[in-house]
Amino acid sequence: MTLENISTNKSFGGWHKQYSHHSATLNCDMRFAVYLPPQIADGTKVPVLYWLSGLTCTDENFMQKAGAQRIAAELGIAIVAPDTSPRGEDVADDPQGSYDFGKGAGFYVNATQEPWNRHYQMYDYVVNELPTLIESNFPVTEQRAISGHSMGGHGALMIALRNPERYRSVSAFSPISHPITCPWGKKAFTGYLGSDLETWKQYDSCELMKQATGKLPAFVDQGTEDEFLTEQLKPELLEAAAKKNNYPLELRMQEGYDHSYYFIASFIEHHLRFHAGYLK
């Protein structure tokens, strides 16, 4: 698979790079960013944290705003940030132009409904195609962790719960914890997956956590002043699901913090150190 290097920037002794490639899974060209820590210079292979971003975001938001590179360089962890949906002129988009469906809002599911099923296979892309691409082209190990924010927090938790053998740990900021019960989730799942609630449950972290047998260390930060807390995010339901199944989830409610990257930048170091403890 051919990778095209779009940009390269040195950062904390390592390198932030953007690449584009043609995705067979998504049937379009995709872009991702990767931070490679300085440890790779001597031939050392490093583990990878996959970061999934939220609604309207691309690979750039986290890499430019979270301030993760300094700690990743210290810990010797690569970070990979894919886009949040397929892109391109022939990729379907919400005809209403809303921010919470279509381009920029892939929700990390495999769409089954026309026309979305032609391109919107983000679950398979993140779980299979992207790691294969990364591990074939960069000096990284097969040790993986996964994290994300909002829609990406939903994606990280859901993917880890469905694939505990593929990851060492999972964390999230402000995740959409129970998408089958909130407006964002209902809209996306109806459009991408149809009306079958059992299909929806396969992509719902609360439903998956209640039944999980393979259990990964899980860590969630949630701001108390998040404007989406009550209607969309519902972390208390995730905590209840974890308690029901004795799932190793730590949920921290962070007083005064909102949904923004100011919140993520404030606590990203803790998340990286959390993952490092399981990746080494």
Side-chain angles (χ1 to χ4, degrees):
M1 188 178 298
T2 302
L3 288 178
E4 179 185 355
N5 182 212
I6 300 171
S7 67
T8 299
N9 303 93
K10 194 163 186 179
S11 179
F12 294 99
W15 297 266
H16 169 269
K17 300 185 177 187
Q18 284 180 306
Y19 289 90
S20 67
H21 72 102
H22 183 78
S23 168
T25 301
L26 302 177
N27 193 28
C28 66
D29 290 339
M30 288 293 286
R31 190 176 73 186
F32 67 86
V34 57
Y35 178 71
L36 299 169
Q39 288 82 353
I40 68 166
D42 64 5
T44 300
K45 288 189 174 184
V46 296
V48 182
L49 173 68
Y50 289 87
W51 173 270
L52 306 183
S53 289
L55 291 165
T56 75
C57 291
T58 67
D59 65 287
E60 293 184 338
N61 298 74
F62 177 79
M63 291 299 200
Q64 294 182 2
K65 296 179 180 181
Q69 290 89 343
R70 178 178 64 85
I71 304 302
E74 174 193 330
L75 298 173
I77 297 174
I79 302 174
V80 173
D83 203 345
T84 53
S85 78
R87 306 277 181 174
E89 293 184 2
D90 62 338
V91 174
D93 198 7
D94 185 354
Q96 305 301 317
S98 61
Y99 74 95
D100 55 359
F101 190 73
K103 292 179 184 178
F107 267 83
Y108 305 102
V109 303
N110 284 340
T112 60
Q113 306 300 298
E114 290 281 355
W116 314 103
N117 58 356
R118 300 172 196 169
H119 299 282
Y120 285 75
Q121 305 293 312
M122 286 297 294
Y123 175 86
D124 280 350
Y125 178 71
V126 171
V127 173
N128 297 311
E129 186 177 19
L130 184 60
T132 298
L133 181 67
I134 296 300
E135 290 162 17
S136 298
N137 289 276
F138 298 97
V140 300
T141 70
E142 293 183 358
Q143 295 180 357
R144 313 175 193 98
I146 191 166
S147 186
H149 171 233
S150 194
M151 178 186 73
H154 139 74
L157 289 168
M158 176 269 293
I159 285 171
L161 287 162
R162 289 182 58 165
N163 302 275
E165 75 287 349
R166 294 186 63 84
Y167 304 95
R168 298 293 184 91
S169 52
V170 58
S171 74
F173 290 85
S174 316
I176 303 172
S177 297
H178 204 4
I180 67 174
T181 66
C182 76
W184 279 339
K186 289 178 180 178
K187 178 178 180 178
F189 286 8
T190 299
Y192 297 137
L193 304 173
S195 59
D196 182 10
L197 184 61
E198 292 305 310
T199 302
W200 292 16
K201 288 180 179 179
Q202 298 175 32
Y203 296 103
D204 186 287
S205 295
C206 283
E207 297 298 321
L208 293 166
M209 192 168 279
K210 292 174 188 176
Q211 304 170 22
T213 53
K215 298 177 180 179
L216 294 176
F219 176 57
V220 171
D221 267 327
Q222 172 64 61
T224 62
E225 297 305 308
D226 192 316
E227 61 186 300
F228 305 112
L229 177 61
T230 302
E231 183 180 30
Q232 304 282 13
L233 306 180
K234 306 184 178 185
E236 72 281 358
L237 299 182
L238 186 70
E239 187 172 43
K243 289 180 178 178
K244 182 176 181 179
N245 192 18
N246 197 29
Y247 198 95
L249 168 70
E250 179 184 359
L251 170 65
R252 298 194 310 187
M253 299 300 296
Q254 300 287 10
E255 188 67 32
Y257 286 89
D258 58 19
H259 200 71
S260 71
Y261 267 85
Y262 295 109
F263 171 44
I264 296 172
S266 298
F267 298 104
I268 191 61
E269 178 173 352
H270 189 115
H271 283 245
L272 287 171
R273 294 193 185 281
F274 165 78
H275 290 295
Y278 298 100
L279 288 169
K280 297 297 185 183

